[in-house]
């Protein structure tokens, strides 16, 4: 070993020991005859002191050191003189008086400051290009360690419960999870392609047919989709499958695992155990979204039936067209300026909403319980009946001083607009307790949704998810009403995992594929292997997958999952360090039987 101790371990009781340290120069203070160096390795920082009187040779070398040089020091541990201790540093009671300094590697000036946690303002593109330097910084280094600890905890937790970790192929066939596949051309099979797994879904189901009963894998998944803040083209899941279970069994495995994990890696408080279980219908109704952030209230109110015959055309027409009129309360917002309200209107526009109606409750109701005159401030109450006004105020739960914000549109506009407005209100009004871990389950998802783009029904989760028992008879007649045995686990408004009980009968699986618009030949071509496997005795089975990056990011308080990945890609899927994707040589293309066309006009 080139060192006897790490830079994080030496304490006062080590005084007098001869040690060898090695690491990076974190900071250097040169007082002429006396040079102080903070030496850093993964485990910490230790001060090394070199005195020109006692060690002229070592001092001469130390005088040439600059930040990020890699250096080895030999010397003696000494207690720092009284008053010179550094209480912020675990090694702050000691210093190493060096008698020998060896430069192991010189360093150019890095493009950003590495020591300390400053530098969040560094352009992310620069951080990604020099990721190996970014990872030297304490914050990312801590995130890597946290990620390791979380994955290790999961591995141990499941191993202790008779799960087997089994690897499945990366070169696979298309595994539909609702995204586009990444494909890999085959050299040996001209014109044929592998697909990278969007998840190991089919393989884990085949492992259940194979009798493995309890499987997990820390699995890499690949999805070629347009990226958002919490998406990357490749990411890691805890992928898990069990045989002879129902939905409750999966939840009863995962919930205590998440509780114990939280206790181990976080000082935050879990809002509620057992985790609240919210039906998909309720989640959409109260939060407008299927991943509710329940760290705060401000649930949505639905006033559609109240205003169905309203004199206010915007409301009446929206309801008549099958839409929803819903609202959310901005606490203490009744006195907001028009400009502030306009800002909120702008905020919801990206979600498709054309406008925001508002009612400020500026006072108390009159003696008959009606809100009139000075008790209201609004541009719309003049179009509403007294009954409608009172009904809206009461349904919203608003009190004096609050502002009710309403959206009237189709459900796919009203819900996301208000879901996001609710979060914005939570942020602006400081309603979100950052010290909470608010887990919940969302259950009873629809099995299918109609895709206007594709003009057919598509699976909400994936096409291997089974319907709730009572709903099978209406698969053909009322596909939109069929509920699935599917469940998501949510933390602070992030979907951290989702799974389902699967179809394990080939006749049911065929029936669902047909409902999704596939004919027998197509099913056979894409999923023949699975249907055939089911004919050899398939156990009832189900599972779940948790997004590792999202879980780690939440515990790390990271703004993006990129902060918990060693080498993430940009929002456009580019690796700035390796400059991938990149062209390949003509020779490679020829071997792969590929010719590259100009981009389609
Ligand atoms: N394969 C699913 C996914 O990746 C999870 C599951 O159903 O287990 O979302």
């Amino acid at each position: 070993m080139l060192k006897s101790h790490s830079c994080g371990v030496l304490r006062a009781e080590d005084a007098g020991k001869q040690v060898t340290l090695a690491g990076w120069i974190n900071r250097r203070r040169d007082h002429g005859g006396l040079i102080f160096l903070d030496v850093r390795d993964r485990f910490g920082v230790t001060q090394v002191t070199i005195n020109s009187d006692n060690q002229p040779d070592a001092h001469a070398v130390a005088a040439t050191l600059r930040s990020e040089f890699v250096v080895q020091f030999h010397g003696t541990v000494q207690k720092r003189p009284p008053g010179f201790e550094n209480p912020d540093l675990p090694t702050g009671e000691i210093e190493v008086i060096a008698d020998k300094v060896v430069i192991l590697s010189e360093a150019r000036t890095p493009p950003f400051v590495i020591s300390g946690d400053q530098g969040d303002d560094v352009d992310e593109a620069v951080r990604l290009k020099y990721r190996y330097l970014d990872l030297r910084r304490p914050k990312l280094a801590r995130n890597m360690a946290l990620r390791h600890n979380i994955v290790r905890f999961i591995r141990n937790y499941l191993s202790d419960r008779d799960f087997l970790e089994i690897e499945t192929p990366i070169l696979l066939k298309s595994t539909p999870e609702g995204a586009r596949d990444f494909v890999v051309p085959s050299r040996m099979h001209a014109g044929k392609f592998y697909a990278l797994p969007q998840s190991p879904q089919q393989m884990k189901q085949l492992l259940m047919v194979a009798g493995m009963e309890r499987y997990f894998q820390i699995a890499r998944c690949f999805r070629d989709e347009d990226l958002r803040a919490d998406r990357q083209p490749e990411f890691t899941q805890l992928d898990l499958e069990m045989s002879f279970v129902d939905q409750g069994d999966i939840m009863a495995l995962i919930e205590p695992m998440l509780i114990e994990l939280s206790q181990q890696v976080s000082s935050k408080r879990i809002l509620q155990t057992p985790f609240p279980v919210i039906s998909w219908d309720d989640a959409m109704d109260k939060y407008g979204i299927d991943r509710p952030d329940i760290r705060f209230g401000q649930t949505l109110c639905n006033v559609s039936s109240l205003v169905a015959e309203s004199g206010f055309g915007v409301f009446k027409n929206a309801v008549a067209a099958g839409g929803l009129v819903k609202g959310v309360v901005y606490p203490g917002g009744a006195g907001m300026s028009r400009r502030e309200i306009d800002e909120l209107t702008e905020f919801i526009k990206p979600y498709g909403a054309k406008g925001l109606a508002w009612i400020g409750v500026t006072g108390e109701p009159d003696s008959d319980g009606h809100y009139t005159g000075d008790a209201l401030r609004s541009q719309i109450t003049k179009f509403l009946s007294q009954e409608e006004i009172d009904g809206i105020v009461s349904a919203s739960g608003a009190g004096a001083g609050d502002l009710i914000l309403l959206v009237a549109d189709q459900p796919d506009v009203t819900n996301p607009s208000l879901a996001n407005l609710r979060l914005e209100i939570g942020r602006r009004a400081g309603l979100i307790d950052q010290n909470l871990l608010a887990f919940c389950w969302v259950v009873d998802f629809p099995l299918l949704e109609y895709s206007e783009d594709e003009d057919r029904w598509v699976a909400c989760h994936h096409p291997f998810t089974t319907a709730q028992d009572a709903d099978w008879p209406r698969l053909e007649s009322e596909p939109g009403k069929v509920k699935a045995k599917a469940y998501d686990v949510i933390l602070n408004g992030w979907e951290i995992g989702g799974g389902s009980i699967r179809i394990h009968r080939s006749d049911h699986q065929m029936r669902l594929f047909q409902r999704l618009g596939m004919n027998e030949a197509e099913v056979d071509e894409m999923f023949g292997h699975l249907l055939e496997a089911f004919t050899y005795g398939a156990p009832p089975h189900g599972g779940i997958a948790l997004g590792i990056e999202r879980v780690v990011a939440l515990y790390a308080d990271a703004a993006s999952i990129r902060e918990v990945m060693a080498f993430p890609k940009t929002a456009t899927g580019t690796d700035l360090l390796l400059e991938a994707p990149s062209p390949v040589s003509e020779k490679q293309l020829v071997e792969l039987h590929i010719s590259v066309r100009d981009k389609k006009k």
Side-chain angles (χ1 to χ4, degrees), residues 395-456:
S396 74
D402 294 342
L403 180 70
I404 307 167
L405 298 160
L406 298 143
V407 173
D409 215 310
Q410 287 299 301
D412 63 353
V413 170
T414 300
N415 279 328
S417 302
L418 285 173
N420 285 286
L421 185 57
R422 172 179 173 269
L423 292 178
E424 182 66 7
I425 292 172
R427 284 188 285 264
R428 287 187 186 216
L431 306 176
I432 304 176
D433 179 347
Q434 302 295 343
N435 265 318
L436 280 183
L437 296 172
F439 289 97
C440 64
W441 291 99
V442 174
V443 300
D444 300 337
F445 280 78
L447 184 70
L448 306 167
E449 65 189 337
Y450 193 72
S451 159
E452 300 288 346
D453 287 353
E454 297 184 43
D455 189 25
R456 66 175 184 98

Side-chain angles (χ1 to χ4, degrees), residues 428-506:
R428 287 187 186 216
L431 306 176
I432 304 176
D433 179 347
Q434 302 295 343
N435 265 318
L436 280 183
L437 296 172
F439 289 97
C440 64
W441 291 99
V442 174
V443 300
D444 300 337
F445 280 78
L447 184 70
L448 306 167
E449 65 189 337
Y450 193 72
S451 159
E452 300 288 346
D453 287 353
E454 297 184 43
D455 189 25
R456 66 175 184 98
W457 291 91
V458 295
C460 288
H461 187 51
H462 52 54
F464 314 108
T465 297
T466 194
Q468 296 193 354
D469 299 339
D471 286 348
W472 273 104
R474 44 181 178 176
L475 183 67
E476 286 76 20
S477 55
E478 295 177 291
K481 297 229 168 93
V482 176
K483 295 283 192 217
K485 290 188 186 172
Y487 32 83
D488 277 358
V489 58
I490 314 298
L491 172 54
N492 293 354
W494 290 36
E495 180 206 324
I496 57 168
S500 63
I501 299 300
R502 328 297 185 188
I503 297 171
H504 70 282
R505 285 174 43 171
S506 46

Side-chain angles (χ1 to χ4, degrees), residues 166-175 177 197 199-210 212 215 217 239 241 464 529-530 541:
I166 302 175
E167 289 182 66
T168 54
I170 294 293
L171 295 178
L172 212 66
K173 195 169 161 168
S174 186
T175 53
E177 298 274 352
S199 91
Q201 184 60 36
Q202 292 183 63
M203 305 323 284
K204 66 174 171 175
Q205 292 193 238
L206 292 169
L207 286 170
M208 294 304 105
V209 181
M212 293 297 127
Y215 141 94
Q217 179 178 194
D239 190 55
E241 197 77 4
F464 314 108
H529 50 273
L530 191 67
H541 59 285

Side-chain angles (χ1 to χ4, degrees), residues 35 57 65 73 89 195 210 285 319 330 398 406 420 433 459 478 517 545 552:
I35 296 177
D57 294 348
L65 298 179
F73 298 93
L89 218 55
D285 186 43
V319 179
Y330 199 130
L406 298 143
N420 285 286
D433 179 347
E478 295 177 291
V552 180

Side-chain angles (χ1 to χ4, degrees), residues 109-349:
T109 305
F112 46 80
V113 178
I114 288 172
S115 59
D117 265 339
Q118 71 272 52
D120 271 346
D121 50 339
V122 178
D123 180 16
E124 199 182 3
V126 179
R127 292 177 50 204
L128 291 175
K129 179 163 165 50
Y130 297 97
R131 192 61 161 182
Y132 47 88
L133 297 179
D134 202 17
L135 284 162
R136 281 188 200 165
R137 304 201 300 166
K139 195 153 140 196
L140 280 199
R142 274 199 303 273
N143 288 353
M144 291 303 112
L146 175 65
R147 180 174 178 145
H148 166 78
N149 287 334
I150 289 173
V151 171
R152 182 177 60 178
F153 172 87
I154 290 172
R155 281 208 160 95
N156 290 342
Y157 192 91
L158 295 172
S159 306
D160 289 346
R161 285 161 183 76
D162 284 333
F163 281 79
L164 294 182
E165 181 167 11
I166 302 175
E167 289 182 66
T168 54
I170 294 293
L171 295 178
L172 212 66
K173 195 169 161 168
S174 186
T175 53
E177 298 274 352
R180 236 177 250 120
D181 289 321
F182 281 103
V183 294
V184 180
S186 162
R187 178 181 58 83
M188 288 194 278
H189 304 274
K192 294 194 175 162
F193 296 81
Y194 302 97
L196 304 184
Q198 292 186 33
S199 91
Q201 184 60 36
Q202 292 183 63
M203 305 323 284
K204 66 174 171 175
Q205 292 193 238
L206 292 169
L207 286 170
M208 294 304 105
V209 181
M212 293 297 127
E213 283 208 37
R214 290 172 162 237
Y215 141 94
F216 82 98
Q217 179 178 194
I218 305 296
R220 194 62 71 85
C221 304
F222 306 85
R223 297 181 191 178
D224 187 1
E225 55 193 350
D226 295 334
L227 307 177
R228 289 184 244 141
D230 56 351
R231 296 257 165 97
Q232 280 273 307
E234 55 179 304
F235 58 93
T236 306
Q237 283 185 346
L238 160 64
D239 190 55
L240 176 151
E241 197 77 4
M242 297 169 85
S243 295
F244 309 111
V245 290
D246 60 27
Q247 174 167 319
D249 298 308
I250 305 281
M251 291 161 73
L253 171 80
I254 295 298
E255 184 164 323
M257 185 182 89
L258 288 170
I259 294 172
E260 207 176 309
L261 174 65
S262 302
Q263 287 159 350
Q264 292 219 354
V265 303
S266 176
S267 55
K268 298 187 180 188
R269 182 171 69 79
I270 297 179
L271 174 68
Q272 195 182 327
T273 58
F275 299 169
V277 180
I278 304 172
S279 74
W280 184 86
D281 286 334
D282 271 358
M284 295 308 288
D285 186 43
K286 295 211 176 73
Y287 301 93
I289 195 166
D290 56 8
R291 44 182 175 85
D293 187 342
I294 59 167
R295 281 177 296 176
F296 67 107
Q298 308 316 116
T299 49
L300 312 184
C301 62
N302 183 348
V303 294
S304 309
S305 55
L306 204 70
V307 298
E309 299 302 328
S310 178
F312 186 39
V314 175
F315 286 178
K316 183 178 171 185
N317 298 341
V319 179
L324 288 174
V325 183
K326 293 173 76 168
V328 63
V329 171
Y330 199 130
M336 238 181 217
S337 69
R338 284 301 285 263
R339 192 179 50 77
E340 285 171 296
I341 297 178
D342 287 347
E343 254 174 51
L344 296 176
T345 310
E346 286 306 311
F347 176 82
I348 59 167
K349 286 208 171 137

